[in-house]
């Protein structure tokens, strides 16, 4: 095998159709080698000039519908390739189909040249389809297990596991775990990265099951992603991904081991898919804990770690949901006893307070008690229980993240991903295809090929950042448009809903205020805009990430994750931030209102504040998002599969093989779990960032997640083809994103309580302004709060632009929400002493609460270790055993070296042995 030359170009992107048609070349006559670094593809051998291209053996289906083997019943199927027979296609497009045929035949010949074995079988449903079964022999498995650093057992784990502190409740808790008779606990092993030269030290009881089906499929797909399918000059094209995109193959997937609802009749079949359905994905098992070890064994670590995180998050949400529900019940029970709410509803107080119009000219004067019902609903969420709950959630999110780190460390050890390093991950085929520049690896010091120079990388990253910023600005523009709608809609609703002769809304009149009508309609429009922008930006983010060309799949996913989350963060949360921190804060006063764009008068909050509007916004977006996602995740795959089965239905007497049954299922998205994580992290943001305004958010999230776990399980078990297993150590870039949200949540909740709710002004009134020298009451009380929180305005001071068209003759003054001096005062309409007391109290509250909560979070993070002590012991024990085995191997070779020989002259074989000993890597 020769090294990479400067002129060799590995390419995955096919040329245009016209170029391919003009330059069709006989594959057999090409004499250039495709070049690969030996560490990535050690079994590769180029097909020499003039050699016959081997073809897959064509075999008839043996009428065994559950078989997972070739027709000989010995060689296990590790992957399936599906293609349409090019000879049976449209005659007019014969050139295209012949080119596809040549590429496919060369690709399959390359696979066989690399040691893989193929067997083709015609479809029993569609005569045009052919299924190619791929098998990896033992020696190929051993080679690529070493390339991919797959950890395999060396001896059973001799460290006794510590009993659970709740073992005395096992008679009760066992009903909440999967049936141990069906899913038994597997033996634990100490493991080490596989090496062919030390095979005798690994725990090999049976070669057929030493490598699990998920390991075999992972290795098979690794080779498929790098096998060449065409050579043209010094351009080498390779990879199953491009063949799938170009239509050469219809699908490539590993096999499910059986049907999800019927056990296989094949001898020795583990029926793991059936067990997963019965004990995990079936609705009747909704109350059971997840069989994570079996999920990981069947689908790989990446799927396993997602469901482990989702399950852990849901369990932790249960505690937050209980406290949040208690806070909601407390607010509901105390809404009728709230003094300030009673004053709003009292005909002698709220009924006599005339409020100033909230828009120019068209709006009318209105009575404060018209917001009676809204003020009662506000009491449910704006109370002291909310303050306690906000602090609790700041502590909860810290505990959640710290305990997740511990749980994740346990899974890393149990699933052999403790030392899963960046260097162990092979480059993406798309990255390898563009490697034309040479550089020195800063870690290994070895020269390697890269796809761009430092300057080229900088340009690519800059273009990506610029595109993301442009789309974020586009979102902000849409938010401004929605704000303009809110202002215009409020103007219209105020003119209509304040009218006394609106008979058709009489039953709902006390509930439908201009603020509420505007908030609901704007929230619905905002939700629609969010979903549309999401669909558009998704394609842009994928294009940008592809353009940046990350090296490994982890790098690719982390880069895409950051782009998508930044966009989604602005898209989903910007409207909530507007209501919480901007609306009603810059409105001026009736005589000098503030205008947006010089035309639209800024909208005001209800007399009780904007908190109820924020609650409405959150409930609509959270609820709408959950419903929409469930429709996408459940209904669409089910309808697609139903339609496909209807279109390809055959006579009932026909026996359909396992690979054809799987072909009828849906293919998994290229981004895999990305959208599942994104959905949950956005939800996590709603639960933590704005929980002070909506204590029921954890309850809604808990209910949604209980469905989400089972829906996702049902979906991947019954509706999708088996996912190609992938290695993963943790949840990737989502971990720092969650930590960032947790830090931001403390600030947002403190600011919501300080600036959005009326809690601080009420406390200031209760402790300072209800008693002398500012108040007239002898004891601290909330009586008179409403009157003190509303300023007075002289109707004669309206400007001509904002003066109402009609003013009743008996109204000389009106009230508005602010803390300003009354007309006639020497500082009329300037902020009064109450305002500055409130501002000082708000700032003090934010500083004190943030420091206390951040200090508590820091202490908890420091006290709770990321890795449990028992896991550290097991990791040390495993490393020790690995070192012992390596030492024993080296000792044997050294002892052979020191053994005296009778002949002074060493023969050729002994010289070779001596060289091997000298080059030993201790």
């Amino acid at each position: 095998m020769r090294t990479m030359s400067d002129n060799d170009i590995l390419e995955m992107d096919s040329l245009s159709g016209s170029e391919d048609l003009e330059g069709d070349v006989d594959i057999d006559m090409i004499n250039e080698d495709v070049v690969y670094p030996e560490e990535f593809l050690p079994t590769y051998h180029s097909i020499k000039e003039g050699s016959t291209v081997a073809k897959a053996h064509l075999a008839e289906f043996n009428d065994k519908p559950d078989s997972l083997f070739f027709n000989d019943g010995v060689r296990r199927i590790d992957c399936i390739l599906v293609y349409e027979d090019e000879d049976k296609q449209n005659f007019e497009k014969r050139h295209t189909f012949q080119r596809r045929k040549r590429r496919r035949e060369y690709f399959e010949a390359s696979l066989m040249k690399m040691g893989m074995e193929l067997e083709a079988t015609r479809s029993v449903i569609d005569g045009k389809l052919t299924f190619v079964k791929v098998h990896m022999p033992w020696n190929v498995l051993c080679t690529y297990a070493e390339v991919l650093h797959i950890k395999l057992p060396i001896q059973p784990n001799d460290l006794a596991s510590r009993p659970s502190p709740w073992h005395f409740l096992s008679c009760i808790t066992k009903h909440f775990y999967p049936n141990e008779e069906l899913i038994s606990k597997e033996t634990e092993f100490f493991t080490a990265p596989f090496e062919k030269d030390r095979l005798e030290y690994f725990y090999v009881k049976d070669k057929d099951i030493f490598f699990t089906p998920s390991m075999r499929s992972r290795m098979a797909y690794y080779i498929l992603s790098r096998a060449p399918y065409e050579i043209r000059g010094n351009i080498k094209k390779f990879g199953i991904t491009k063949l799938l995109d170009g239509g050469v193959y219809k699908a490539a997937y590993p096999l499910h081991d059986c049907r999800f609802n019927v056990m296989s009749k094949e001898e020795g079949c583990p029926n793991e898919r059936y067990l997963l359905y019965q004990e995990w994905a079936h609705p009747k098992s909704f109350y059971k804990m997840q069989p994570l070890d079996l999920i990981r064994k069947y689908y790989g670590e990446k799927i396993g770690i997602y469901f482990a995180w989702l399950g852990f998050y849901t369990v932790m949400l249960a505690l937050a949901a209980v406290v949040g529900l208690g806070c909601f019940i407390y607010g509901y029970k105390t809404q009728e006893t709230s003094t300030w709410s009673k004053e709003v509803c009292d005909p002698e107080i709220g009924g006599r307070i005339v409020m100033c119009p909230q828009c120019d000219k068209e709006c009318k004067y209105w009575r404060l008690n018209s917001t009676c019902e809204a003020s009662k609903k506000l009491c449910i969420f704006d109370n002291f229980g909310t303050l306690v709950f906000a602090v609790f959630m700041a502590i909860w999110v810290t505990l959640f993240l710290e305990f997740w780190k511990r749980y994740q460390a346990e899974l890393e050890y149990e699933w052999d991903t403790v030392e899963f390093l960046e260097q162990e991950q092979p480059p993406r085929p798309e990255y390898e295809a563009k490697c034309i520049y040479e550089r020195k690896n800063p870690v290994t010091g070895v020269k390697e090929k890269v796809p761009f120079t430092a300057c080229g990388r900088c340009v690519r990253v800059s273009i990506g950042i610029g595109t993301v910023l442009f789309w974020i600005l586009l979102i902000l523009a849409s938010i401004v448009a929605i704000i303009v709608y809110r202002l215009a809609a409020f103007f219209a609703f105020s003119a209509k809903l304040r009218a006394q002769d609106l008979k058709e809304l009489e039953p709902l009149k006390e509930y439908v205020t201009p603020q509420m009508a505007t908030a609901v309609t704007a929230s619905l429009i905002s939700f629609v805009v969010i979903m549309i922008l999401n669909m558009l930006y998704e394609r842009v983010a994928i294009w940008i990430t592809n353009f940046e060309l990350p090296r490994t799949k982890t790098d690719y996913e982390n880069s895409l994750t950051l782009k998508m989350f930044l966009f989604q963060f602005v898209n989903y949360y910007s409207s909530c931030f507007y209501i919480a921190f901007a609306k009603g804060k810059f409105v001026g006063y009736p005589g000098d209102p503030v205008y947006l764009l010089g035309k639209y008068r800024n909208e005001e909050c209800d007399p009780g504040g904007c908190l109820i509007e924020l609650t409405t916004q959150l409930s609509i977006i959270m609820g709408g998002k959950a419903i929409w996602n469930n429709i996408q995740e459940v209904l669409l795959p089910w309808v697609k599969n139903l339609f496909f089965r209807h279109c390809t239905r055959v006579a009932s007497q026909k026996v359909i093989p396992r690979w054809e049954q799987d072909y009828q299922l849906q293919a998994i998205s290229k981004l895999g779990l990305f959208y599942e994580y994104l959905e949950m992290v956005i939800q996590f943001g709603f639960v933590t960032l704005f929980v002070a305004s909506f204590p029921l958010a954890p309850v809604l999230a808990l209910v949604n997640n209980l469905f989400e776990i089972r829906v996702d399980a049902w979906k991947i078990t019954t509706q999708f083809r088996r996912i190609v297993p992938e290695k993963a150590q943790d949840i990737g870039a989502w971990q720092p994103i969650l930590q960032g949200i947790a830090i931001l949540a403390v600030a947002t909740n403190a600011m919501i309580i300080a600036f959005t709710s009326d809690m601080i002004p009420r406390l200031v009134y209760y402790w300072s302004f209800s008693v002398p020298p500012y108040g007239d009451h002898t004891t601290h009380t909330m009586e008179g709060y409403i009157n003190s929180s509303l300023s007075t305005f002289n109707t004669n001071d309206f400007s001509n632009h904002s003066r109402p068209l009609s003013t009743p003759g008996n109204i000389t003054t009106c009230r508005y929400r602010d803390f300003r001096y009354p007309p006639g005062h020497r500082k009329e309409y300037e902020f009064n002493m109450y305002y500055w007391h409130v501002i000082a109290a708000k700032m003090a509250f934010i500083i004190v609460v943030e420091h206390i909560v951040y200090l508590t979070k820091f202490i908890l993070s420091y006290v709770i270790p990321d890795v449990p002590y028992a896991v550290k012991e097991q990791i040390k024990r495993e490393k020790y055993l690995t070192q012992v085995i390596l030492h024993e191997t080296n000792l044997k070779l050294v002892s052979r070296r020191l053994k005296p020989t009778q002949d002074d002259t060493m023969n050729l074989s002994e010289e070779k042995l001596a060289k091997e000993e000298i080059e030993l890597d201790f």
Side-chain angles (χ1 to χ4, degrees):
M1 188 175 303
R2 65 185 177 88
T3 58
M4 179 89 70
S5 68
D6 293 337
N7 297 322
D8 288 327
I9 301 175
L10 299 180
E11 183 176 295
M12 290 192 64
D13 298 326
S14 63
L15 301 173
S16 66
S18 60
E19 291 173 330
D20 283 340
L21 290 175
E22 292 173 4
D24 283 335
V25 179
D26 188 354
I27 298 298
D28 294 349
M29 299 303 295
I30 292 175
N31 56 12
E32 294 234 8
D33 292 348
V34 182
V35 181
Y36 294 93
E38 188 169 356
E39 58 179 314
F40 298 142
L41 215 60
T43 60
Y44 175 76
H45 301 285
S46 60
I47 301 175
K48 300 298 182 183
E49 176 187 358
S51 61
T52 303
V53 176
K55 296 184 179 181
H57 171 66
L58 185 64
E60 294 295 326
F61 173 48
N62 59 6
D63 290 331
K64 293 182 179 181
D66 295 326
S67 176
L68 303 175
F69 296 87
F70 282 21
N71 277 9
D72 57 16
V74 176
R75 292 174 291 176
R76 173 179 287 276
I77 301 171
D78 297 316
C79 193
I80 291 290
L81 302 175
V82 187
Y83 68 89
E84 285 188 344
D85 192 341
E86 294 84 356
D87 296 330
K88 299 181 180 181
Q89 298 297 332
N90 192 337
F91 180 77
E92 284 76 13
K93 298 181 179 180
R94 61 189 183 278
H95 292 295
T96 301
F97 291 120
Q98 287 304 311
R99 184 175 67 254
R100 289 181 182 176
K101 182 178 181 180
R102 285 194 299 272
R103 289 178 170 180
R104 176 179 53 76
E105 289 179 348
Y106 190 85
F107 181 74
E108 293 173 6
S110 299
L111 293 178
M112 289 186 279
K113 193 74 173 175
M114 283 187 267
M116 304 181 82
E117 298 175 2
L118 308 181
E119 182 179 86
T121 301
R122 298 283 187 194
S123 168
V124 300
I125 298 176
D126 185 353
K128 294 180 180 179
L129 290 179
T130 302
F131 294 84
V132 180
K133 295 167 275 187
V134 180
H135 168 75
M136 296 184 70
W138 171 257
N139 62 328
V140 179
L141 287 170
C142 291
T143 299
Y144 284 95
E146 188 169 355
V147 169
L148 296 176
H149 303 270
I150 293 178
K151 286 190 171 184
L152 290 160
I154 50 179
Q155 77 171 49
N157 189 336
D158 56 0
L159 292 180
S161 59
R162 297 179 180 178
S164 169
W166 309 103
H167 65 278
F168 59 91
L169 296 175
S170 58
C171 58
I172 300 174
T173 57
K174 68 179 182 180
H175 299 292
F176 296 93
Y177 285 86
N179 189 342
E180 292 186 358
E181 295 180 2
L182 295 176
I183 304 178
S184 57
K185 189 173 179 61
E186 295 187 0
T187 306
E188 294 185 3
F189 290 91
F190 290 118
T191 61
F194 184 77
E195 294 183 35
K196 289 173 64 176
D197 296 338
R198 297 186 171 97
L199 180 62
E200 65 272 17
Y201 293 100
F202 286 88
Y203 195 79
V204 185
K205 294 184 68 175
D206 186 347
K207 287 185 176 181
D208 293 334
I209 60 174
F210 180 61
F211 296 104
T212 64
S214 62
M215 291 179 186
R216 298 174 67 109
S217 299
R218 181 181 160 210
M219 288 185 275
Y221 210 82
Y222 175 87
I223 297 176
L224 291 174
S225 298
R226 288 157 177 80
Y229 62 82
E230 187 175 82
I231 310 174
R232 181 170 300 162
N234 65 341
I235 298 177
K236 289 84 178 176
K237 303 179 182 181
F238 64 94
I240 186 64
T241 304
K242 198 60 192 177
L243 292 178
L244 291 170
D245 293 340
V248 177
Y249 286 102
K250 305 288 288 183
Y253 53 90
L255 285 180
H256 282 298
D257 61 356
C258 63
R259 284 182 284 177
F260 71 87
N261 55 354
V262 179
M263 294 186 71
S264 172
K265 298 178 182 178
E266 290 290 311
E267 183 180 355
C269 178
N271 291 295
E272 290 173 347
R273 185 190 186 195
Y274 173 80
L275 296 178
L276 285 172
Y277 177 72
Q278 291 296 323
E279 296 297 311
W280 179 46
H282 198 286
K284 68 180 177 62
S285 302
F286 76 95
Y287 62 91
K288 291 185 178 181
M289 302 296 285
Q290 301 181 89
L292 293 176
D293 288 334
L294 184 58
I295 296 170
R296 172 251 179 172
K297 180 182 177 183
Y298 192 74
Y299 289 114
E301 289 80 7
K302 196 167 191 176
I303 299 290
I305 201 75
Y306 164 73
F307 280 103
W309 176 80
L310 181 56
F312 186 83
Y313 171 45
T314 304
V315 170
M316 290 292 289
L317 267 178
L319 176 60
V322 169
V323 179
L325 187 60
C327 176
F328 175 80
I329 293 172
Y330 168 78
Y332 185 81
K333 293 292 185 182
T334 58
Q335 64 174 327
E336 298 294 339
T337 62
S338 171
T339 304
W340 67 270
S341 179
K342 285 181 178 179
E343 290 185 350
V344 171
C345 298
D346 191 341
E348 298 299 320
I349 302 176
R352 294 188 175 183
I353 295 178
V354 178
M355 301 297 294
C356 298
Q358 293 181 315
C359 67
D360 296 333
K361 293 185 178 182
E362 295 292 337
C363 293
K364 299 181 180 181
Y365 297 94
W366 51 285
R367 301 285 177 177
L368 180 61
N369 64 349
S370 65
T371 62
C372 175
E373 292 301 322
S375 67
K376 288 182 179 179
K377 298 298 180 289
L378 183 62
C379 292
I380 298 175
F381 303 102
D382 192 1
N383 54 67
F384 294 111
T386 303
L387 171 61
V388 175
F389 185 56
V391 175
F392 166 81
M393 285 300 293
I395 306 301
W396 173 87
V397 74
T398 303
L399 292 175
F400 163 66
L401 292 174
E402 292 303 317
F403 284 126
W404 164 247
K405 288 178 187 176
R406 290 172 59 84
Y407 185 47
Q408 185 172 258
E410 294 178 15
L411 293 178
E412 284 178 17
Y413 172 72
E414 293 176 7
W415 294 355
D416 297 323
T417 60
V418 173
E419 296 178 352
F420 179 61
L421 303 176
E422 173 76 15
Q423 289 82 355
E424 295 181 13
Q425 296 187 69
R428 296 165 57 241
E430 295 85 349
Y431 179 90
E432 291 178 334
K434 304 293 185 182
C435 289
I436 56 176
Y437 299 101
E438 195 173 78
R439 72 155 190 175
K440 186 177 181 180
N441 189 303
V443 178
T444 62
V446 178
K447 286 187 177 181
E448 64 178 8
K449 292 285 186 177
V450 293
F452 34 64
T453 62
C455 181
R457 177 175 177 79
C458 183
V459 170
R460 288 171 181 260
V461 173
S462 299
I463 292 175
I465 293 174
T467 308
V468 172
L469 291 177
F470 168 78
W471 276 84
I472 289 177
L473 291 175
L474 187 63
I475 299 174
L476 296 179
S478 70
I479 297 301
V480 172
I482 292 174
I483 292 173
V484 170
Y485 163 80
R486 295 176 71 102
L487 301 179
F490 180 76
F491 178 86
F493 284 129
S494 295
K496 297 292 184 182
L497 298 181
R498 299 298 184 194
Q500 298 298 318
D501 57 347
L502 200 59
K503 303 297 183 182
E504 63 271 16
L505 283 178
E506 196 63 39
L508 303 173
K509 199 170 183 179
E510 59 183 359
Y511 300 99
V512 183
T513 63
Q515 289 88 349
M516 181 59 67
T518 303
V520 171
T521 55
S523 297
L524 291 173
I525 293 173
S526 178
F527 173 71
V528 173
V529 171
I530 284 171
M531 302 312 294
I532 292 173
L533 288 176
N534 276 350
M535 289 188 289
L536 294 175
Y537 180 74
E538 173 189 319
R539 293 169 174 78
V540 175
I542 294 173
W543 177 84
I544 296 170
T545 310
N546 289 338
F547 178 72
E548 290 178 356
L549 212 61
R551 181 178 182 272
T552 65
K553 188 161 186 179
T554 299
D555 292 339
Y556 181 90
E557 291 177 348
N558 290 347
S559 177
L560 182 61
T561 296
L562 185 59
K563 292 180 182 63
M564 285 294 289
F565 180 75
L566 284 175
F567 178 85
Q568 300 277 13
F569 183 90
V570 178
N571 200 11
Y572 277 107
Y573 301 141
S574 54
S575 59
C576 296
F577 274 102
Y578 163 74
I579 295 174
F581 306 122
K583 184 183 175 184
K585 306 300 186 295
F586 313 100
V587 295
Y589 64 96
D592 185 22
V594 177
Y595 292 89
L596 178 66
L597 305 177
K599 180 179 179 182
Y600 299 99
R601 179 172 167 176
N602 281 358
E603 56 181 334
E604 302 177 25
C605 295
D606 268 325
C610 286
L611 197 69
I612 194 69
E613 290 188 42
L614 181 58
T615 304
T616 303
Q617 180 84 356
L618 285 170
S619 58
I620 288 177
I621 293 180
M622 280 191 71
K625 186 173 180 295
I627 294 171
W628 176 256
N629 286 336
N630 284 321
I631 289 174
Q632 280 189 313
E633 293 181 7
V634 179
L635 195 58
L636 290 181
W638 181 76
V639 170
K640 286 180 180 178
N641 286 336
L642 190 66
F643 180 75
F644 187 81
R645 285 194 295 269
H646 176 75
C647 294
T648 58
R649 59 185 177 183
V650 294
S652 57
Q653 64 268 20
K654 279 195 176 183
V655 179
I656 303 177
R658 169 83 267 133
W659 48 86
E660 199 150 358
Q661 295 175 41
D662 285 4
Y663 179 67
Q664 295 177 357
L665 300 176
Q666 290 295 304
I668 198 70
S669 166
K670 287 183 179 180
L671 296 178
L673 294 172
F674 175 79
Y675 294 107
E676 310 297 338
Y677 273 119
L678 182 63
E679 177 187 352
M680 289 295 103
V681 172
I682 292 294
Q683 180 205 88
F684 180 79
F686 282 123
V687 168
T688 54
L689 291 174
F690 305 102
V691 74
S693 66
F694 193 33
L696 287 180
V699 178
L700 295 181
L702 175 64
V703 174
N704 177 76
N705 287 9
L706 290 174
F707 282 101
E708 182 74 22
I709 292 175
R710 304 304 161 179
V711 164
D712 286 348
W714 173 83
K715 181 176 63 177
I716 69 168
T717 305
T718 68
Q719 302 300 308
F720 285 91
R721 298 171 191 154
R722 190 170 181 177
I723 301 168
V724 177
E726 294 182 47
K727 199 90 168 173
Q729 185 179 25
D730 48 37
I731 60 176
W734 299 110
Q735 183 85 20
I737 287 175
L738 291 174
Q739 291 172 338
I741 292 175
I743 293 171
L744 182 61
V746 177
T748 56
N749 284 298
M751 293 173 70
I752 285 172
I753 292 173
F755 294 111
T756 310
S757 80
D758 254 16
M759 188 175 299
I760 302 301
R762 290 200 295 268
L763 287 173
V764 171
Y765 177 82
Y766 181 84
W767 291 108
S768 298
F769 283 79
S770 63
V771 295
Y774 300 107
D776 301 328
H777 301 280
T778 56
T779 59
H780 297 286
T781 179
M782 284 301 297
E783 293 180 6
Y785 167 72
I786 288 297
N787 187 58
S788 69
S789 67
L790 299 174
S791 299
T792 304
F793 180 75
N794 190 329
T795 57
N796 294 324
D797 293 335
F798 276 116
S799 65
N800 293 330
H801 179 72
S802 59
R803 186 183 303 276
L805 295 178
S806 61
T807 302
N810 60 340
I811 297 178
T812 58
T813 61
C814 61
R815 309 297 293 273
Y816 61 98
R817 176 185 166 84
D818 211 339
F819 304 109
R820 294 176 183 266
Y821 288 112
H825 193 279
R826 63 186 180 88
K827 296 182 179 180
E828 69 174 3
Y829 304 137
E830 293 183 11
F831 292 119
N832 58 22
M833 188 60 67
Y834 192 177
Y835 172 83
W836 298 112
H837 275 74
V838 169
I839 290 296
K842 288 180 176 181
M843 295 302 173
F845 172 82
I846 292 174
I847 293 172
V848 171
V849 168
E850 282 189 352
H851 280 69
I852 291 175
V853 173
Y854 281 135
L855 178 62
T856 306
K857 289 166 68 70
F858 173 77
I859 293 173
L860 289 173
S861 300
Y862 181 78
V863 169
I864 302 174
D866 291 347
V867 182
Y869 180 74
V871 173
K872 288 182 179 179
E873 285 184 333
Q874 291 178 321
I875 293 173
K876 291 177 181 177
R877 171 70 173 161
E878 187 171 285
K879 287 183 177 180
Y880 168 75
L881 287 174
T882 305
Q883 290 172 355
V884 167
I885 288 174
L886 294 175
H887 183 63
E888 288 179 352
T889 305
N890 294 332
L891 276 180
K892 284 186 176 182
L893 290 174
V894 171
S895 62
R896 290 167 63 187
R897 181 185 180 187
L898 296 177
K899 184 177 180 181
T901 58
Q902 295 179 356
D903 192 352
D904 293 338
T905 305
M906 297 176 65
N907 58 30
L908 185 61
S909 62
E910 288 173 337
E911 289 180 2
K912 185 177 180 182
L913 175 62
K915 290 179 181 178
E916 291 178 354
E917 294 164 2
I918 293 172
E919 295 174 356
L920 279 176
D921 182 8
F922 284 83

